[in-house]
Amino acid sequence: MKKGRIFGIFAALAALVSAPAMAQNGQSVALNGDVMVVKTINEDGAEPRTELVEPDLVVPGDRLLFRTNYENTSAELVENFVVTNPLSSAVQLAPDTSGDQVVSVDGGKNFGALSALTVTEESGTVRSALASDVTHLRWTLASLEPGESGQITFYAIVR
Amino acid sequence: MKNARRTYSVLTAALAVPFFATPVLAGGVPAGTLIENTAKATYDAGDGPETIDSNTVVLRVDELLDVAVASLNAGPVATSSGGAVLTYSVTNTGNGPEAFTLTVNPAVGGNDFDPTVDGIAVDTNGNGVYDPGVDDILTSPETTEILDPDEALTVFVLLSVPPAAVDEDEAQVDLLAEAVTGTGTPGTTFAGAGVDGGDAIVGPDGADDNALGTIIVGITTVDLVKSAIVRDPFGGTSVVPGSVIQYTIRADVTGSGSVDDLLITDPIPTDTTYVLTSLTLDSGALTDAADGDAGEASDAAGITVDLGTVNGGTSHSITFDVTVDQ
């Protein structure tokens, strides 16, 4: 029991020693993404329900769930953690996305809440940005404690 | 500082990913399109700014099978003679290249008669009008060429009207297009049959579609009735040298349709001579010369009156005079 705790302390020390090397390799945080198809199941006499299935078959109109898992794998505090996700031109952000989602509608030049952004049409008229205008999504976390992990997700529709 | 500059350049590279407008297609993004997603993170660790990319997830868009067929005729197509042509469009509303098998059904319920299908032709020269000898007639099994997503093909169904059909009979003709890869209930999947070895899946409309066109029979007949009035030089009606004969030709056009290029000709009888400027149409004088009016007349060539297009239910009357030779 006592021996085990000593080993634990040594392990923590080792982590502290190796942390600067990890940081130099840009490995303080691990990002790992996947995608699922949101399939709507309609059964007689039941409310339609959705389930996530592997994306073996994807056609226009399908709703996709993009997930990115993050984890601070270092022993250091990570600050100003900003995840930016360019959106494939083959999909559009789901129209039911929150207006508070921080996005870009100009190829990543400017970011802001979707509900606060505008788009200038070729004719010169300015209108509110739509989910279908979004080119990039962004999430910002002030800090990640060592070992802290989480998941960010968004829904998109195949154009 | 060095790190900061590196971060900046990485972000710039990310922004420089070509952002092109996806073409708006009825059937969505083309089959075979790869949807790639990579998240990027920037953050400050103990030693300053760092960036990291996630793994890239890649999806391939599968092929949706869908087609739309529409009649391109504004209304029933009038057919005056034995043949008629109905025009349809076949549009690939799926997202992958696909050919379609065409089937014509001329025996639609409620038809006054069932036309005979002489063939299916495609608008090879793209002018929207069937050109015999120019537009290719499909051979059995009638199948279109491979249509790209959103590509539309104009198809002609060549019909003939059986002799039993009477004036004002109508018949509907159904054109069905079915995806060659397969049809079925929406969601039916054909594994590996799509673009680039992907799957093909039956779209919301079942990968087949049909449309009706209508022909209406307008049988129009022309009856010509010729009569003569004789005035002899003595006040009587005998045909003697010097008598003047006035011929009347009445053209009665009957039926619901119309006739085109109706040309009335009549030679001057032998041993008679045409009376100059005696030609009339519906009581109006016509000059003898070949000019702007509808008629011309001469002793040698006889009389010719071009009535052009004449609708059913109308009549025209032509008169001319001759004198009996001495």
Side-chain angles (χ1 to χ4, degrees):
Chain A
M1 192 62 191
K2 195 179 177 186
K3 199 176 178 182
R5 201 175 68 200
I6 292 169
F7 177 77
I9 291 166
F10 270 111
L13 281 171
L16 281 172
V17 169
S18 63
M22 288 176 71
Q24 276 179 351
N25 293 336
Q27 294 291 316
S28 297
V29 174
L31 280 186
N32 191 26
D34 70 357
V35 61
M36 300 294 274
V37 176
V38 183
K39 193 177 175 190
T40 302
I41 315 266
N42 288 300
E43 284 167 344
D44 290 340
E47 287 289 304
R49 60 189 172 83
T50 59
E51 74 182 35
L52 296 180
V53 298
E54 290 290 331
D56 296 326
L57 183 66
V58 178
V59 293
D62 278 352
R63 186 176 172 92
L64 304 176
L65 172 62
F66 288 94
R67 302 187 291 203
T68 302
N69 296 299
Y70 57 84
E71 181 180 5
N72 180 356
T73 55
S74 74
E76 304 265 350
L77 182 70
V78 163
E79 295 182 296
N80 299 322
F81 180 66
V82 178
V83 177
T84 305
N85 195 330
L87 205 54
S88 164
S89 59
V91 300
Q92 67 172 56
L93 189 62
D96 53 353
T97 302
S98 163
D100 297 333
Q101 173 69 48
V102 174
V103 297
S104 171
V105 293
D106 58 7
K109 288 192 198 69
N110 300 291
F111 282 86
L114 174 56
S115 58
L117 293 177
T118 59
V119 169
T120 305
E121 303 266 21
E122 274 180 34
S123 62
T125 49
V126 177
R127 60 166 174 82
S128 296
L130 303 170
S132 55
D133 298 319
V134 169
T135 63
H136 292 66
L137 295 98
R138 176 167 284 179
W139 298 263
T140 303
L141 294 172
S143 63
L144 291 181
E145 297 290 334
E148 184 178 345
S149 65
Q151 185 180 65
I152 51 183
T153 63
F154 66 93
Y155 290 97
I157 314 286
V158 181
R159 288 184 192 261
Chain B
M1 198 54 203
K2 197 176 177 184
N3 276 337
R5 188 177 299 123
R6 196 183 65 203
T7 303
Y8 175 75
S9 64
V10 168
L11 276 174
T12 305
L15 299 183
V17 169
F19 177 71
F20 54 90
T22 305
V24 178
L25 293 175
V29 289
T33 300
L34 297 179
I35 299 174
E36 302 189 16
N37 196 68
T38 310
K40 299 169 187 298
T42 62
Y43 51 89
D44 296 327
D47 273 5
E50 294 179 3
T51 67
I52 184 173
D53 283 0
S54 73
N55 58 313
T56 299
V57 294
V58 181
L59 295 181
R60 183 179 55 205
V61 176
D62 291 300
E63 183 174 350
L64 202 58
L65 302 171
D66 229 337
V67 62
V69 180
S71 169
L72 295 182
N73 298 119
V77 172
T79 170
S80 51
S81 57
V85 177
L86 288 174
T87 308
Y88 301 82
S89 67
V90 176
T91 307
N92 178 3
T93 51
N95 69 340
E98 183 70 23
F100 298 92
T101 306
L102 303 177
T103 309
V104 176
N105 175 18
V108 176
N111 277 357
D112 294 325
F113 68 98
D114 293 336
T116 306
V117 179
D118 297 328
I120 304 174
V122 296
D123 191 12
T124 309
N125 61 1
N127 67 350
V129 177
Y130 175 59
D131 298 307
V134 175
D135 292 333
D136 290 337
I137 294 177
L138 299 175
T139 52
S140 181
E142 285 92 347
T143 306
T144 69
E145 60 186 359
I146 291 174
L147 303 182
D148 287 331
D150 273 2
E151 185 178 354
L153 182 69
T154 300
V155 173
F156 304 108
V157 174
L158 313 179
L159 302 161
S160 54
V161 177
V166 299
D167 194 24
E168 299 191 22
D169 271 2
E170 282 192 33
Q172 289 189 307
V173 177
D174 182 272
L175 177 67
L176 171 69
E178 298 172 290
V180 166
T181 300
T183 61
T185 54
T188 304
T189 304
F190 301 97
V195 173
D196 296 340
D199 294 339
I201 180 169
V202 173
D205 302 320
D208 59 2
D209 194 24
N210 66 313
L212 292 168
T214 305
I215 59 173
I216 182 164
V217 178
I219 294 177
T220 307
T221 52
V222 180
D223 288 316
L224 296 180
V225 181
K226 188 174 181 181
S227 58
I229 298 171
V230 181
R231 298 190 308 276
D232 65 34
F234 318 106
T237 57
S238 303
V239 178
V240 296
S243 292
V244 175
I245 307 173
Q246 182 179 63
Y247 289 107
T248 300
I249 301 170
R250 201 179 75 233
D252 292 330
V253 182
T254 55
S256 63
S258 63
V259 290
D260 294 330
D261 302 326
L262 178 57
L263 196 66
I264 310 290
T265 61
D266 199 26
I268 304 302
T270 49
D271 300 327
T272 68
T273 302
Y274 172 70
V275 176
L276 295 177
T277 70
S278 65
L279 183 65
T280 70
L281 169 63
D282 298 332
S283 304
L286 296 176
T287 61
D288 294 338
D291 49 23
D293 69 24
E296 58 180 289
S298 69
D299 214 35
I303 64 104
T304 301
V305 177
D306 184 356
L307 296 175
T309 299
V310 181
N311 292 325
T314 57
S315 292
H316 293 287
S317 187
I318 297 159
T319 66
F320 64 97
D321 296 351
V322 299
T323 53
V324 180
D325 294 344
Q326 299 289 338

